Amino acid sequence: MPRRQDGRRYTWRRGTDPRPRTEPPTAPAPEPAAAAEPADSIVHAALYRDGVRVASPATLTDTYRQLREKPRTMAWIGLARPTEAELKSLAAEFDLHQLAVEDALEAHQRPKLERYGETLFVVLRAARYLDAPEEVDFGELHVFVGADFVITVRHGAAPDLSAVRRRMEESPDLLRLGPEAVLYAILDAVVDGYAPVVAGVQNDVDEIETEVFSGAPEVSRRIYELSREMVEFQRSTRPLVGMLHGLMAGFAKYGTDEELQRYLRDVADHVTHTSERVDGFRQALTDILTVNATLVTQQQNAEMRALAEAGFEQNEEIKKISSWAAILFAPTLVGTIYGMNFENMPELGWHFGYPFAIGLMGVVCVSLYMIFKRRDWL
């Protein structure tokens, strides 16, 4: 395996011949002004030697030139949603594989670890918890790792790689380990970013449990939305377990520093713990959704039973009203007939006509009352 000019072996080698470099003068000239190259997507670029920053180029062109001019240096280039031209420029300079470049440009990739020649291509899914809307926001990060360069392509707000860079610059002994140490720091930052998300989701699950038993009407929608986020969270964390184990399996083959091996094992432990927590959240949400469906069904059954009871009571009242209406209608009908005062009505001149009419009314009313009473309408 080839060695650096300082005698330490490269952990990951470039697949192409080393680029010709010349020793810098003892008093380096001032850095030229930034070129007119469009660099809106360049978040930060820096060159490091023995764990210390030696240059901060403003453009990709300056980065390439200074990397060639400064031996035993490592370039760390951070991009955010780069253009196709910028990625092609990086591919040409660092011999990046076309398939990896296409993935980095299009985004929407699953977390993975792939090797193209002597360059590692890593896709990570970062996450952050947004307190105001109480939801999880996911970002995507692509990392190219070579013998003397690290290129990060970020799609989304997470993770905060500026904090990673500050942390590494404050730990020159770790940064001195090279690109693999930067990759570890990025992995560690992504995994550490999961902890606030886990805490936020745990709080959401607790709130949902309370809302389920309080009968909140919108809880079903919230359960469904959080379940979808947990599916996305699972897709972000599960592949990391295999990826880190793959990196650990190559420790001996690629001569990874022992201290760095311990750091990566710690990250793997955190990923495993997070993945288990996410699996537990998803199962808990499934159980809560089942309980909520049961409670909703019970509530609907209670409402239907109450409606049925109300309808039965209303029907009984209608029966009573109808019965008394019929009873009262009978004397009204008799009285109406005999109240027409026609001359040819024989009962009008009959001595027993009035008692007969009153008796008829009484007989009809009593008969109707007995009939309705027998049928429990009264």
Side-chain angles (χ1 to χ4, degrees):
M1 181 175 292
R3 296 178 178 271
R4 297 178 183 265
Q5 296 185 25
D6 59 1
R8 188 170 64 84
R9 293 191 305 171
Y10 280 128
T11 301
W12 288 304
R13 295 183 294 108
R14 290 279 299 277
T16 57
D17 294 335
R19 292 169 295 180
R21 303 209 177 148
T22 58
E23 291 292 338
T26 55
E31 298 296 340
E37 171 186 341
D40 293 341
S41 63
I42 299 179
V43 177
H44 207 109
L47 299 182
Y48 299 90
R49 181 192 299 155
D50 293 330
V52 178
R53 184 193 291 235
V54 295
S56 301
T59 65
L60 291 178
T61 301
D62 287 345
T63 304
Y64 305 154
R65 178 180 56 78
Q66 295 184 44
L67 186 60
R68 294 190 186 98
E69 294 175 352
K70 300 179 185 296
R72 297 177 298 174
T73 57
M74 175 192 70
W76 184 353
I77 304 171
L79 305 174
R81 298 184 180 89
T83 64
E84 183 177 359
E86 288 169 337
L87 282 179
K88 286 184 176 179
S89 173
L90 289 166
E93 178 68 21
F94 296 106
D95 193 29
L96 306 181
H97 197 279
Q98 180 181 357
L99 294 178
V101 173
E102 290 178 356
D103 288 346
L105 181 64
E106 296 176 2
H108 303 294
Q109 303 295 317
R110 63 176 179 83
K112 59 183 178 179
L113 171 66
E114 294 180 343
R115 181 178 294 277
Y116 294 96
E118 298 300 327
T119 300
L120 281 180
F121 176 60
V122 182
V123 179
L124 303 172
R125 296 296 303 276
R128 59 174 183 161
Y129 186 80
L130 305 179
D131 291 322
E134 293 187 332
E135 62 183 24
V136 182
D137 177 52
F138 295 94
E140 190 168 332
L141 180 66
H142 302 249
V143 186
F144 296 89
V145 183
D148 55 357
F149 67 89
V150 176
I151 302 170
T152 60
V153 179
R154 182 162 52 87
H155 296 271
D160 182 9
L161 295 182
S162 61
V164 178
R165 190 183 294 269
R166 287 194 301 270
R167 170 195 171 192
M168 294 298 289
E169 291 180 350
E170 292 171 358
S171 305
D173 290 340
L174 181 60
L175 186 56
R176 189 177 293 117
L177 298 178
E180 58 269 30
V182 177
L183 177 60
Y184 148 73
I186 293 173
L187 288 167
D188 188 50
V190 170
V191 173
D192 285 348
Y194 293 152
V197 178
V198 170
V201 172
Q202 180 66 67
N203 184 63
D204 287 346
V205 172
D206 294 340
E207 290 180 356
I208 286 174
E209 289 179 342
T210 302
E211 291 175 0
V212 164
F213 291 101
S214 65
E218 296 295 329
V219 67
S220 296
R221 181 184 182 87
R222 189 177 182 187
I223 294 172
Y224 175 72
E225 291 176 347
L226 189 57
S227 297
R228 290 184 59 187
E229 291 178 352
M230 289 305 96
V231 171
E232 190 70 19
F233 205 2
Q234 277 186 324
R235 293 173 180 171
S236 301
T237 57
R238 274 188 177 179
L240 276 179
V241 178
M243 289 167 56
L244 287 168
H245 282 89
L247 281 175
M248 290 187 293
F251 284 165
K253 179 178 179 181
Y254 295 101
T256 305
D257 184 86
E258 291 185 3
E259 187 69 14
L260 193 57
Q261 293 182 31
R262 286 191 284 269
Y263 288 149
L264 285 171
R265 291 192 188 98
D266 182 65
V267 175
D269 290 341
H270 290 172
V271 169
T272 302
H273 176 71
T274 300
S275 181
E276 292 173 351
R277 290 291 304 275
V278 175
D279 292 343
F281 287 147
R282 189 174 181 188
Q283 183 61 47
L285 288 170
T286 301
D287 296 340
I288 292 173
L289 189 60
T290 302
V291 172
N292 182 64
T294 303
L295 294 176
V296 170
T297 301
Q298 291 177 350
Q299 183 180 0
Q300 290 176 343
N301 291 338
E303 291 175 354
M304 293 296 295
R305 184 166 54 252
L307 288 174
E309 292 175 354
F312 177 78
E313 293 177 358
Q314 185 178 15
N315 188 44
E316 292 298 314
E317 294 297 327
I318 292 175
K319 288 180 180 179
K320 293 179 180 179
I321 295 173
S322 300
S323 300
W324 286 112
I327 293 172
L328 294 176
F329 177 72
T332 302
L333 177 62
V334 175
T336 302
I337 293 174
Y338 286 99
M340 292 187 292
N341 297 323
F342 289 109
E343 293 182 359
N344 295 326
M345 293 181 69
E347 293 84 357
L348 295 179
W350 185 30
H351 182 74
F352 296 101
Y354 177 74
F356 173 77
I358 295 299
L360 180 60
M361 294 179 187
V363 170
V364 173
C365 290
V366 171
S367 300
L368 290 175
Y369 179 83
M370 294 178 63
I371 293 172
F372 292 141
K373 189 70 174 178
R374 189 178 298 115
R375 294 184 178 181
D376 292 329
W377 282 35
L378 292 173

